[in-house]
Amino acid sequence: SIGNTIEILGKSYETDHLTNTTPAILKKVGTNLHNTPGHPLNHICRRIETYFNSAYVRRGNPRFSVYNRLSPVVTHEQNFDSLLVPANHVSRSPQDSYYINSEYMLRAHTSAHQRDLVRTGLDAFMVIGDVYRRDAIDSTHYPVFHQLEAVQLFSDFELFSDMPNPESMSLFEPGVRDDNKQERHTLQTALLLEQTLKSCLEGLMRALFGQDLQMRWVGAYFPFTHPSWELEIFYQGEWVEMLGCGVMEQKLVDSAGATDKAGWAFGLGLERLAMKLYSIPDIRLFWSTDSGFLTQFKNKNFDEPITYKPVSKHPQCVNDISFWIPESFSSNDFYDLVRSVAGDLVEQVTLIDEFVHPKTGRGSHCYRLVYRHMEKALTQEEVNSIHQQIEASAAEQLDVQIR
Ligand code: PHE
């Protein structure tokens, strides 16, 4: 696609050697599911906003400003550098993200907006939006999903207001960094930020899933927070990771001009939350335009409990595909191709066999493709025809040799 331009949300971008967005992906940009009244993702957002603005207020005023219409087109700098992601970090791999060109990409997380929003002077905000990642194909992964991010910054006055003698406490000191705190933060700063963050998120999960919900905190790593955690909830017999969070790196906060404040941030995946909360079995359903899905959420109050009742499940068709791969091959290239050719008709793709020919040294992959339409039964002929198109496109575009 070198020398061409692509159009996204009314703007033109020149493509170059890094461009790896597919037309199938670009078609999703601007859909705005999270802002569509009656859509389950919109219900979830409104429940979370309600929690933050009622159960959790600052002297009677809503605390968090909501940004839910920021363009998903960001610079690499916003998505990575602004968040202190090292230049050689694995997350920058073109195998994992959708690059528009050498300057722009589709955001891989809503954290991409943290620095710029802090820079505008805000000290409490949420960002809700679509994010894009190249990934496997199964019932819980889709290359576009939605995140809700929140940031809260505190001045010393705000953070220590409930302490016995706040005048004696300070946010910063020259210290050492260890597992529990950053070098610039006092122990009190670190502890109070951790406490307010964790109780805010535990309260949110209880507001969504009920007061008896079991939860646990697990240590995590993000380049832009320290310390960092993930919150897991115990749901229907298993522990499920719900969100990532942590104390914002002071270097980031400083770089945004809020040098007299410290704060925390978290980011959660809305589909994952909605799938648990409403018993939605397949992530493709969020993109369904079928009334069988949408009517179950339309005209419902966002705060009434909803349990999705699966519209009849149609039979699946399974077809394998085997090919010799060129050296540069990566599975995510194949997954993108499958999505481009078959759209949402493929429910799952699994690499079931992989070997290297002992003489020629050539690699071979075998993938199992599970076909199933969400809304109707597929005939064997329809499946065969799509499968052949996938074989032909793979041979043509990925330089593989079908076996
Ligand atoms: N951006 C992180 C992710 O997508 C989540 C996160 C947000 C972690 C804010 C810490 C703070 O996984």
Side-chain angles (χ1 to χ4, degrees):
S1 58
I2 291 174
N4 291 328
T5 62
I6 47 182
E7 183 98 2
I8 307 173
L9 298 174
K11 286 198 186 131
S12 283
Y13 299 87
E14 297 221 4
T15 58
D16 62 28
H17 62 285
L18 262 185
T19 308
N20 66 357
T21 53
T22 64
I25 281 297
L26 294 177
K27 260 217 311 266
K28 306 287 190 194
V29 178
T31 309
N32 261 313
L33 294 180
H34 58 295
N35 294 327
T36 304
H39 194 277
L41 293 175
N42 184 254
H43 281 305
I44 285 271
C45 292
R46 293 176 61 191
R47 285 189 68 167
I48 298 174
E49 288 170 31
T50 304
Y51 167 79
F52 275 93
N53 288 333
S54 59
Y56 205 56
V57 292
R58 175 162 58 186
R59 289 176 203 98
N61 292 315
R63 183 182 274 185
F64 290 81
S65 338
V66 177
Y67 288 77
N68 53 17
R69 297 190 181 273
L70 299 174
S71 168
V73 176
V74 298
T75 61
H76 304 193
E77 199 273 337
Q78 289 173 299
N79 196 81
F80 298 120
D81 304 68
S82 79
L83 293 159
L84 314 172
V85 178
N88 55 1
H89 195 264
V90 282
S91 64
R92 296 188 187 239
S93 162
Q95 291 314 325
D96 293 335
S97 296
Y98 287 104
Y99 288 97
I100 296 167
N101 57 31
S102 302
E103 184 178 2
Y104 293 101
M105 63 187 291
L106 297 174
R107 66 184 164 215
H109 53 182
T110 41
S111 305
H113 302 287
Q114 273 189 19
R115 193 252 339 252
D116 296 342
L117 288 173
V118 172
R119 207 175 252 169
T120 66
L122 291 168
D123 63 2
F125 58 85
M126 281 185 220
V127 181
I128 306 169
D130 35 332
V131 301
Y132 298 77
R133 290 187 201 172
R134 305 185 69 198
D135 218 326
I137 300 184
D138 63 34
S139 66
T140 61
H141 290 91
Y142 203 79
V144 194
F145 61 100
H146 296 76
Q147 283 187 328
L148 183 146
E149 182 111 1
V151 163
Q152 185 169 13
L153 297 176
F154 300 81
S155 64
D156 49 3
F157 177 76
E158 288 164 319
L159 193 64
F160 302 128
S161 61
D162 293 335
M163 305 302 277
N165 46 354
E167 321 74 41
S168 70
M169 309 179 91
S170 51
L171 286 178
F172 307 113
E173 71 183 7
V176 285
R177 188 183 183 90
D178 62 28
D179 285 353
N180 302 314
K181 68 175 220 49
Q182 296 173 31
E183 55 277 33
R184 300 249 348 264
H185 292 162
T186 62
L187 193 56
Q188 284 298 348
T189 302
L191 289 176
L192 281 170
L193 287 175
E194 173 173 351
Q195 214 175 64
T196 54
L197 171 62
K198 286 184 170 176
S199 67
C200 158
L201 288 170
E202 288 171 11
L204 171 64
M205 288 299 149
R206 290 214 169 86
L208 294 174
F209 288 96
Q211 292 303 315
D212 331 309
L213 183 71
Q214 270 193 73
M215 292 175 262
R216 69 181 182 197
W217 290 99
V218 180
Y221 168 80
F222 303 101
F224 38 95
T225 51
H226 181 78
S228 308
W229 301 274
E230 277 163 1
L231 178 57
E232 297 184 348
I233 67 168
F234 195 69
Y235 195 74
Q236 293 177 340
E238 54 177 12
W239 286 103
V240 192
E241 180 205 318
M242 275 296 155
L243 56 90
C245 66
V247 175
M248 291 171 81
E249 282 288 352
Q250 197 57 42
K251 197 170 156 193
L252 192 172
V253 178
D254 289 351
S255 77
T259 50
D260 56 347
K261 291 183 178 155
W264 50 245
F266 71 81
L268 59 84
L270 292 174
E271 276 82 350
R272 180 174 291 202
L273 201 60
M275 286 174 82
K276 296 292 171 205
L277 201 55
Y278 304 135
S279 305
I280 297 172
D282 191 301
I283 197 166
R284 291 175 296 167
L285 282 164
F286 291 100
W287 297 87
S288 169
T289 49
D290 186 76
S291 60
F293 178 72
L294 294 173
T295 50
Q296 297 194 29
F297 298 92
K298 266 225 174 84
N299 305 320
K300 295 253 165 102
N301 223 325
F302 66 88
D303 54 0
E304 71 186 274
I306 305 171
T307 303
Y308 174 69
K309 288 165 214 67
V311 194
S312 73
K313 251 208 162 185
H314 300 285
Q316 38 177 236
C317 282
V318 179
N319 261 0
D320 293 348
I321 179 169
S322 299
F323 44 69
W324 297 110
I325 56 169
E327 244 163 61
S328 61
F329 183 82
S330 103
S331 296
N332 278 352
D333 294 333
F334 181 62
Y335 301 148
D336 264 324
L337 181 136
V338 170
R339 294 205 187 268
S340 298
V341 177
D344 287 355
L345 298 186
V346 175
E347 177 170 281
Q348 179 148 21
V349 181
T350 320
L351 177 59
I352 54 171
D353 190 40
E354 177 172 20
F355 75 94
V356 177
H357 190 281
K359 293 228 178 76
T360 63
R362 267 171 114 192
S364 169
H365 280 187
C366 178
Y367 293 90
R368 176 150 295 163
L369 278 68
V370 178
Y371 293 87
R372 189 197 326 248
H373 199 292
M374 293 266 94
E375 287 135 21
K376 62 168 195 183
L378 291 170
T379 65
Q380 190 63 50
E381 293 78 68
E382 285 173 296
V383 169
N384 290 348
S385 143
I386 302 161
H387 197 75
Q388 281 160 18
Q389 285 176 52
I390 291 176
E391 288 183 333
S393 310
E396 192 185 297
Q397 296 171 32
L398 302 180
D399 200 23
V400 304
Q401 192 183 338
I402 306 291
R403 304 181 51 204

